[in-house]
Amino acid sequence: MQVLNFEIGASNIAFVFLEELLIQFKGIAKVGELVNFEACLDIMDLLYEKEETSVLFSSPCSLAASILVASYVITVPRQKWEFPVLPWVKFATSCNEEDIIEIVGGILKHIFGPSLHV
């Protein structure tokens, strides 16, 4: 599919997954209200600015789950991190937890630079 340049379609699907995940998250956890949707969109935009991050687009579901987790880490105050967001995202999406952790690490490194130790 990458040969045919379907990355744009994958991003649209990731957006739909992300939007639905955030709605579900806000419905089950009060802390979900603290996740900033604009920050999620900003993360998606930042990922598109470098070609090496396009490998993240191979699974729109994993990408959406990872963006939600990254946005949670970035926008929710640390003292409010009582909700087990990673296990919930794994449950809600059936994505592999290790894949989500790896993608979140890549997202955070991309945003905050190579000096970040994840």
Side-chain angles (χ1 to χ4, degrees):
M1 287 183 111
Q2 281 187 325
V3 173
L4 299 174
N5 290 323
F6 277 87
E7 298 91 24
I8 293 173
S11 70
N12 290 337
I13 295 168
F15 174 81
V16 171
F17 278 134
L18 177 60
E19 194 173 38
E20 181 59 32
L21 270 177
L22 191 56
I23 290 168
Q24 289 177 29
F25 188 41
K26 288 179 177 184
I28 65 154
K30 188 174 181 178
V31 73
E33 295 296 328
L34 298 175
V35 176
N36 186 311
F37 186 64
E38 286 75 28
C40 293
L41 298 179
D42 289 343
I43 290 170
M44 285 187 88
D45 288 343
L46 287 170
L47 294 176
Y48 281 101
E49 72 181 21
K50 290 198 176 177
E51 190 173 316
E52 64 265 16
T53 58
S54 66
V55 78
L56 299 174
F57 307 138
S58 61
S59 171
C61 184
S62 293
L63 178 60
S66 300
I67 289 171
L68 179 67
V69 172
S71 184
Y72 178 88
V73 169
I74 294 169
T75 63
V76 174
R78 191 177 201 114
Q79 57 271 36
K80 301 269 187 185
W81 285 3
E82 76 274 357
F83 188 83
V85 68
L86 188 58
W88 177 80
V89 165
K90 177 185 172 192
F91 171 78
T93 64
S94 299
C95 293
N96 183 306
E97 186 171 340
E98 290 79 25
D99 290 345
I100 294 171
I101 291 169
E102 184 177 333
I103 295 170
V104 168
I107 289 170
L108 295 175
K109 284 179 185 175
H110 181 71
I111 293 171
F112 295 110
S115 63
L116 178 69
H117 299 288
V118 179

